[in-house]
């Protein structure tokens, strides 16, 4: 952890915050949206209800933070997994660009989607 | 910003022992470590699914209904169940490691690790209920 920190505290802080947000929020969102509602355990909220909900600024901000920071959490962690696990140290730069780049694209796409509603 | 850390710069070739690529499959602790790191893949995939759902919502009621229909397919439900296991594994490992990353003090006394961990799990529970309540209240 120490070496990671010294390499780039900025990415590490995004990784850390994203890790907390993902740990707290994703299981509930995933369970409800992807398992409980599709299986009919819980009645799906209506289109209008979801639309009204997402049009609320606080919901938008929440979803933006969840999506973007989850992606930056992945980017940093996955980068070092490839690094340590598969020893792709010679591809360091390429991997970093691909990982953080994907997170940035997702962030821009979520901004565009959420505020285009 | 320096991305390339020049790993081998201070490690002359003759001192390098070769580590096999799959070094982490032989020991349970290592395998668990890699599994923990790979939970992030499911975190990212779900972030994109969520984004896709918002996009469908944006397209109108019909597209959104199609998206919900796709969520009901057995493949989707199966994949979501697998992803759920990994995401929960992420939460558990993350909360259990929290005291190592964050040292809280009350006065001169350090807050015990167990207290921090319990607080994390409580926050997880409360937030999950709040999310469900906001999403589902009609």
């Amino acid at each position: 952890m120490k070496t990671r920190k010294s390499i780039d505290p900025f990415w590490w802080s995004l990784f850390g915050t994203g890790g907390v947000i993902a740990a707290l929020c994703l299981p509930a969102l995933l369970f409800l949206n992807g398992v409980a509602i599709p299986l009919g355990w819980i009645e799906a909220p209506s289109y209008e209800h979801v639309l009204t909900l997402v049009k609320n600024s606080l919901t938008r901000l929440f979803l933006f933070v969840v999506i973007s920071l989850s992606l930056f959490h992945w980017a940093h962690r996955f980068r070092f997994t490839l690094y340590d696990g598969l020893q792709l140290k010679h591809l360091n730069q390429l991997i970093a660009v691909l990982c953080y780049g994907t997170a940035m694209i997702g962030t821009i796409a979520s901004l565009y989607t959420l505020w285009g509603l | 910003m320096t991305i390339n850390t020049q790993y081998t710069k201070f490690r002359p070739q003759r001192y390098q022992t070769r580590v096999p690529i799959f070094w982490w499959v032989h020991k349970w602790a290592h395998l668990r470590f890699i599994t923990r790191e790979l939970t992030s893949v499911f975190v990212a995939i779900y972030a994109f699914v969520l984004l896709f759902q918002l996009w469908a919502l944006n397209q109108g009621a019909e597209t959104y209904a199609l998206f919900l229909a796709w969520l009901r397919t057995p493949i989707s439900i199966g994949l979501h169940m697998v992803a759920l296991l990994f995401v929960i594994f992420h939460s558990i490992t993350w909360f259990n490691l929290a005291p190592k990353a964050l040292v809280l003090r009350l006065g001169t006394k350090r807050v015990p690790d167990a207290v921090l961990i319990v607080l994390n799990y409580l926050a997880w529970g409360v937030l999950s209920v709040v999310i469900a309540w906001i999403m589902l209240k009609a």
Side-chain angles (χ1 to χ4, degrees):
Chain A
M1 279 312 202
K2 229 173 190 172
T3 47
R4 286 183 195 186
K5 243 181 192 172
S6 66
I7 288 170
D8 213 323
F10 171 72
W11 297 123
W12 196 89
S13 68
L14 287 182
F15 156 77
T17 322
V20 175
I21 302 277
L24 289 172
C25 304
L26 281 195
L29 287 169
L30 204 161
F31 173 73
L32 292 168
N33 276 316
V35 180
I37 292 174
L39 280 175
W41 296 345
I42 297 170
E43 204 190 329
S46 69
Y47 172 77
E48 285 74 23
H49 172 67
V50 183
L51 195 63
T52 319
L53 193 61
V54 176
K55 277 190 170 166
N56 182 300
S57 307
L58 274 178
T59 321
R60 279 182 203 185
L61 187 66
F62 167 76
L63 288 167
F64 172 68
V65 168
V66 168
I67 291 172
S68 174
L69 287 181
S70 293
L71 289 176
F72 278 107
H73 165 79
W74 160 80
H76 195 72
R77 198 169 222 183
F78 193 59
R79 176 189 166 198
F80 282 102
T81 309
L82 294 179
Y83 220 61
D84 302 327
L86 295 180
Q87 302 174 56
L88 297 172
K89 284 161 191 165
H90 54 293
L91 295 176
N92 188 13
Q93 216 133 19
L94 176 72
I95 288 170
V97 168
L98 283 180
C99 287
Y100 299 129
T102 306
M104 280 175 199
I105 290 169
T107 299
I108 293 166
S110 69
L111 268 179
Y112 181 79
T113 309
L114 280 166
W115 273 270
L117 277 165
Chain B
M1 191 175 72
T2 51
I3 288 175
N4 200 337
T5 50
Q6 299 291 330
Y7 249 74
T8 50
K9 199 172 172 187
F10 303 110
R11 265 200 277 167
Q13 288 296 319
R14 61 178 179 277
Y15 287 123
Q16 274 189 341
T17 52
R18 286 190 72 82
V19 182
I21 285 187
F22 291 103
W23 58 267
W24 40 272
V25 294
H26 302 295
K27 226 174 144 184
W28 170 234
H30 295 161
L31 195 62
R32 206 176 47 195
F33 162 74
I34 292 288
T35 309
R36 189 191 78 196
E37 301 302 294
L38 286 181
T39 57
S40 64
V41 172
F42 292 89
V43 165
I45 290 174
Y46 193 66
F48 275 115
V49 172
L50 212 53
L51 182 57
F52 193 50
Q53 183 163 6
L54 290 169
W55 173 84
L57 191 72
N58 206 0
Q59 297 298 303
E62 273 173 42
T63 315
Y64 191 64
L66 280 177
F67 182 80
L68 291 188
W70 172 75
L71 283 180
R72 281 192 296 270
T73 59
I75 292 176
S76 162
I77 291 173
L79 289 174
H80 275 89
M81 281 176 165
V82 174
L84 183 64
L85 288 180
F86 275 93
V87 171
I88 289 175
F89 190 62
H90 163 69
S91 300
I92 292 170
T93 50
W94 192 268
F95 295 144
N96 291 350
L97 277 176
K100 292 201 165 57
L102 177 78
V103 175
L104 264 190
R105 283 172 202 285
L106 267 183
T108 52
K109 278 211 166 148
R110 185 177 164 179
V111 177
D113 287 2
V115 175
L116 266 182
I117 292 176
V118 168
L119 284 176
N120 269 305
Y121 279 94
L122 275 178
W124 186 22
V126 170
L127 258 170
S128 299
V129 172
V130 169
I131 288 172
W133 183 73
I134 291 177
M135 241 181 78
L136 303 172
K137 67 170 176 171

